[in-house]
Amino acid sequence: MESTSSAGYISMIKNIKQISDVVWEIPKTFKQGMQVPARIYATENILKQMEDTVVEQLTNVACLPGIQKHALCMPDGHSGYGFPIGGVAAFDTETGVISPGGIGFDINCTHPDTRVSLQYGTWLTMKELESRWGNIEINFFNLSNKFKQETKILCQMSRQEKEFLYAIKTETGRELKVTADHPLLTKKGYVNAEDLEKNTFVLLHSFEGIKYERPSSEIVVDKNIIEQTLNKLGKNNAGNSVKQIINFLKKKNILELRQDSPQLPILLKLAGFILGDGVITFVNNKVGFCHFYGKEEDLKEIKSDIEKLGISISKINKRMRHHSIQTKYGISDFKFEECSIIKKSTALAVLFVALGLPYGRKTEKSYRVPAWIMKAPNWLKRLFLASFFGAELSKPSTKKNNQFTFYDLQLNMNKSKLLEQNAFDFLNDIRLLLSELGVESRYPVLVKGNNYVGKISDTIGLRITISSSCSNMLNFLEHVSYEYNQQKRKLASLASAYLRLKKSIIEHRLEVRKKAKELYDLCVEPGEIARRFETQLADKQFILHSIYDRQITIPRISYKFITFEDYAQKNSSGSDGFFWDKIKTIEIIQYDGLVYDVTIDNEHHNFIANSIVTHNCGMRLLKTDLTTKEVQPKLKEIVDLLFKTVPAGVGAKGFVQIKKPQFQEIMTTGVKWCTENDYGWKEDLDRIEENGCINGADVTKVSQKAIDRGINQLGTLGSGNHYLEIQMIKAGQIFDNQIAKKLGIFGNNQVLIMVHCGSRGFGHQIGSDYLQMFEPAMKKYGITVKDRELACAPFNSKEGQDYYQAMACAANMAFANRQVIIHRIREAFSKIFAQDPEKLGMQIIYDVAHNIAKVETHKIDGKKQDLVVHRKGSTRCFGPSRKELPKIFRETGQPVIVGGSMETGSYLCVGTDKAEEETFGSTMHGSGRTMSRTQATKQFRGEKLQKDLATKGIYIRAVSMSGLAEEAGSAYKDINEVVDTMDKAGVSKKIVALTPIGNVKG
Amino acid sequence: MKKYAYLEGIVTADAAFDAFGKTAEKLFENAALATSEIMVDFKTLKTKITKKIVLTAENNEQLLFKFLDQIVFLKDSEQLLFKKFKVKIAQDKPCTLEADCIGDKISQETQKLRNDIKAVTYHNFKLEQTKQGWKARVVLDI
């Protein structure tokens, strides 16, 4: 049997876990954006044959915001649209506010080359972000505290943009290429690109960082290195201390430490800081301490980072310090409040030493930048440098006598005079790292006057400087900057903006100067030139001066230009370096290519995913008190009559002729309309899920188009896999006599009738209508999904509620459709057997929906929660303790009707209480296709199938012979295996197997 | 140039096709044919009724979707099926489509009917223009 799966694909999925005999779990790590793991209910055999797309779609669903516990797939699962058929997902109904929470250049629909700011000071272009590269988080702007923070990326999508993009340039020279509906953060809130105007302020942050590259899995520190370090420290193994330290580090997953360990970036930052304002000490050669000194706000960051390693920090200490330094000017006394973190942890201290850091007084120790850092990827190098600079490098500040120009950045270091060469070497290591990141610095120089007569030895002072020339400074500020120092970080971002602004103004002035001179050479009158080119930043005096000055020099900034201090104060937003920048130009550019979407920082939501609930299809099982003995001789007659009286197939017109008002009544009352209009019995209502009517249906949410499409279809079967089937119970096919009896099954050879159909074109049109409506809604709420067919809206939004209410209309129409059809069936039997259908015992056993979203209460982790449970090709299977069930089913559990193919037969099962814990009370709906329709038509001929089945005693009438071929039994999975799977899982118990003897198809 | 080809291996439960055309209009016509032929054997369908469809959309892709969706809609709302299409597309904003659709009312007795299309889906939906002409891929829910 051919199938479209790549055999063994699922077993090739890394980390797929077998939870139990028939339950498999795909962890959240399988795909970026998964909120919950995915679970598949299947035997190993079924699992191996599942299509790749099932996994793809199931894990996409797991990315939807608000999803609870697991994204589930039943054993009959196969590929669908957006959601796999056989899929179940539950979402929280409580309202969640959707807050985009993004930065000014938040990512919605951007050009593939747009750089996205990520965790640990890295970036990737949108295009590169798409491929799976690990769990790195993305930066965003927290609107409340105005800090740059990081969070997970939830979803990503790319789509074709075939028309144009908006190219937005700001005053500081930043450029963004985005789609018209991409929102930027302005002083008045988020505004779409197409609505932005020149001179509007948008929020920016200057820091770009270093391009992310995958680190290697090279070992940095392993058990042996720790042992060697301990040896060198002279620590013996007294009290098993060596083993203890190693076990501690292993427990925290720090050993072995590799270049790609998640702890490495944090350790690098801490190491850089320690080389600046920290120290490692060992007391009495036994206990290790790590000290960090700095401002409280920065130590808070350090504390948080150390705690990310799994090591707790109890508090940040504060004390008054007195310092006495002998400088060339004399002895300087000062006191200040010093904040510090002092962590007692021999393991951590040893780890840092193993990483290459010195311990004890740094001025007395010889050390270099550890070799493994010198070889690391640039972004890791940068983390080390930046925190070292946060402690040791001066902050960007402008000169006292020229407030438009920055001082060079300085790094001073003191060292014992005896270690002068080492100091030079170390500083040159730092310079080398810097130059690899594109920043030039000057050779270390001895600084006279910074010598310190100390207790142990005389120290000397050395200094390196980073030149403040514009491009070098920008490289430093934008790619390296500072870590663990908020103040410096903020200044760095603002300084970069200021420098860029200055640069663009100087360029502007240079341009004006050049043009003025050209025109002057062409004998244009100076006054005229001045009039033509005069701008605020290049005034008349400047132009005249340009003309008369014989050389073309680079103009200086006008004294009217704003100072850095004033600029920072005016435009800064918050304390993390965000600032407002004016839009200089907005252009529309031709574009034909991909644009990218990313969803970040979503709070809990609740959703209806449209594609999950479109078709409102279901099954109904009708019993009779007849046996095959009575029915077989009249089978052909019955099937022919049903084929005549129950319209099916393309273009079939329903036998219930209604007008719009009645249709609307059906939409809101479902089966009740039928029973009130002689299309059913009152007791039928108890035997239908939701009593044949879902509350909350609102006819105004249904389009005229949907009504037009559905109004003539009440009382039609549809086609495809929909059918009406007459079934019997073969010997040995009752698995639980007691429950079977309670459900109305009396024994072998009993004849039953199963109807499989739904809301027809009506439900599908509603689905299509809302699928289209949800696309703008998703943009409105900042939602992106991995598959266009997963279009959705928050449950509690207007769009979401409208859809739910429209869906309820469709569901009610489906219940009514099945009701009128069984009415016809009762009539047909009554005619042929010349008896009232009541006397024939033609009660409904049950009617279930299997493509629907229901609001239900379920327990998650012991707590009751209201959920929107989506069942796409999955049937509800509540257990006996659910209050929703009518009294009779409180003894048995809810009946579950599982439709198989014409050849394999169907099942009647019941739900269990266990089902709630496992699958939100859901189970399979049928056996699921394995062969495509085109394949099936190639392999089977409808007419032949009909003949073959007739010889087996199965009589079929079908509107479409090709359609019949497509429904051949071998095109479906083995239903027995599917039903057994859920039985084994304890979710639904099989009660009776049903064998077809007659069938009517569209 | 082939007008359209049904695809295997994309979806198990439904139908999919690639349609082609030298011009966009030809492509639309062929896609409509591919859609209709899923539902009926053309040999058994007469050309008695002409129906005019006028639609607008923001771009050609949306226009194609709406067009095919409309064909499915007419099948249910007016019990019509078509086997010949003449399409005119105006490319100004928004794109407008005018199509003459020729076919007949559905008759189960005289026509060989096949699958009932429930909906046009966005699954793998693609419309593109290549050097050879236009191409579209559509998956239909059956």
Side-chain angles (χ1 to χ4, degrees), chain A residues 410-428:
Chain A
Q410 287 187 1
L411 189 142
N412 290 306
M413 183 171 157
N414 284 332
K415 202 77 168 183
S416 158
K417 203 165 175 185
L418 307 165
L419 295 170
E420 187 178 313
Q421 184 55 50
N422 176 254
F424 271 95
D425 291 339
F426 172 78
L427 288 174
N428 280 324

Side-chain angles (χ1 to χ4, degrees), chain A residues 143-158:
Chain A
L143 283 133
S144 20
N145 63 21
K146 305 216 170 108
F147 268 80
K148 193 196 314 181
Q149 294 182 337
E150 46 224 15
T151 187
K152 291 206 199 81
I153 298 173
L154 292 182
C155 301
Q156 267 183 285
M157 191 170 95
S158 62

Side-chain angles (χ1 to χ4, degrees), chain A residues 504-555:
Chain A
S504 76
I505 291 171
I506 290 177
E507 276 168 4
H508 166 75
R509 283 160 71 93
L510 180 64
E511 176 100 22
V512 169
R513 172 165 288 183
K514 244 175 66 185
K515 280 205 209 126
K517 282 178 115 62
E518 280 168 15
L519 283 184
Y520 183 64
D521 287 340
L522 294 173
C523 300
V524 178
E525 202 253 312
E528 170 66 30
I529 298 174
R531 257 189 305 276
R532 258 196 244 184
F533 288 119
E534 184 166 27
T535 63
Q536 201 190 34
L537 301 161
D539 60 10
K540 184 166 170 192
Q541 201 178 34
F542 170 77
I543 293 172
L544 293 174
H545 185 245
S546 305
I547 292 173
Y548 296 127
D549 187 351
R550 284 279 92 205
Q551 292 130 298
I552 301 184
T553 56
I554 296 183

Side-chain angles (χ1 to χ4, degrees), chain A residues 255-270:
Chain A
L255 219 58
E256 287 152 339
L257 189 68
R258 294 171 187 270
Q259 212 186 67
D260 58 3
S261 296
Q263 298 89 349
L264 193 72
I266 296 174
L267 287 166
L268 263 169
K269 277 169 76 179
L270 293 169

